[in-house]
Amino acid sequence: MSEQDKVQTEQQQAAEAAAEQQVVELTPEQELIAKLDAELQQAKAQLAEQHDLMLRIKAEADNSRRRSAMDVEKAHKFALERFAGDLLPVVDNLERALTFLNREDDSQKALGEGVDLTLKGLLDTLAKNGVQQIDPQGQPFNPEFHQAMSIQPSADVAPNTVTFVMQKGYELNGRLVRPAMVGVSKAVE
């Protein structure tokens, strides 16, 4: 490279450096536009943030409303659970009374009919309020609804079959109130 080329290259570099260092002065209108543009960008960011927050709050309120509605529905559905559980011993006693009555004896016949009608009325009222009786006689043993009180070998029925019911079970709107107490068969050895 010749001396002259070096001088030209240095002059070019100096001119470029001077151009870079040159401060661009803005007119007052351009300064105002730049300031307003920065404020607009800041306002847009704040708006987006507040919109996101509003959506989150709305979703939380909807979820709360749904949870509350479900809680109220469950409270209505299962409000009778304790009351129904307290009535079940009465049903058991009426059923036991019917088994011990001598229906052939004329003096006990009217009493038997009265107890039978009382039991039927009580069971109908419980059924109207969602309480269903579980009588698993002859059905396969289900630990979700039955409580095994005894296991006896039996060749007459398949293993794990309910052979007798000591106490009937009850459920309220699909929820177990009391399991049925049953005897279960097992294979003869």
Side-chain angles (χ1 to χ4, degrees):
M1 188 180 252
S2 71
E3 190 69 32
Q4 194 177 19
D5 288 337
K6 283 184 185 179
V7 172
Q8 278 183 345
T9 303
E10 287 175 7
Q11 286 176 351
Q12 267 183 336
Q13 289 175 347
E16 287 174 6
E20 286 177 11
Q21 289 179 356
Q22 212 176 33
V23 176
V24 177
E25 289 202 22
L26 299 176
T27 64
E29 290 93 19
Q30 289 175 330
E31 285 179 14
L32 181 62
I33 289 173
K35 180 182 172 190
L36 291 175
D37 190 41
E39 288 177 4
L40 177 64
Q41 294 306 319
Q42 184 181 7
K44 282 182 179 179
Q46 187 178 9
L47 176 67
E49 184 179 312
Q50 289 177 353
H51 181 70
D52 183 54
L53 180 63
M54 183 267 313
L55 289 176
R56 289 176 190 271
I57 291 172
K58 183 176 183 266
E60 181 62 33
D62 289 345
N63 289 341
S64 254
R65 194 175 308 116
R66 259 192 304 272
R67 275 193 303 272
S68 295
M70 285 177 19
D71 289 346
V72 167
E73 180 183 336
K74 283 181 182 177
H76 284 114
K77 199 172 186 182
F78 299 113
L80 295 175
E81 187 170 12
R82 176 182 273 172
F83 181 67
D86 290 344
L87 282 179
L88 297 182
V90 176
V91 172
D92 295 336
N93 289 336
L94 289 172
E95 287 177 342
R96 274 192 282 279
L98 285 174
T99 59
F100 288 114
L101 283 175
N102 183 1
R103 301 256 180 175
E104 302 301 319
D105 187 359
D106 289 338
S107 64
Q108 293 184 2
K109 195 172 192 176
L111 178 66
E113 288 175 5
V115 170
D116 199 23
L117 287 173
T118 303
L119 176 62
K120 185 179 180 325
L122 183 57
L123 288 174
D124 288 344
T125 302
L126 287 171
K128 273 193 265 182
N129 288 288
V131 178
Q132 298 298 319
Q133 196 174 57
I134 301 171
D135 188 4
Q137 181 71 38
Q139 297 176 2
F141 177 73
N142 182 350
E144 292 180 15
F145 296 105
H146 311 145
Q147 181 177 355
M149 300 307 290
S150 70
I151 299 175
Q152 299 175 342
S154 176
D156 300 335
V157 293
N160 288 330
T161 301
V162 175
T163 54
F164 65 93
V165 178
M166 297 171 100
Q167 190 177 56
K168 294 176 183 171
Y170 292 87
E171 63 182 352
L172 172 64
N173 295 319
R175 182 188 286 180
L176 188 66
V177 175
R178 182 180 80 185
M181 294 183 190
V182 298
V184 182
S185 67
K186 71 175 186 176
V188 178
E189 297 173 6

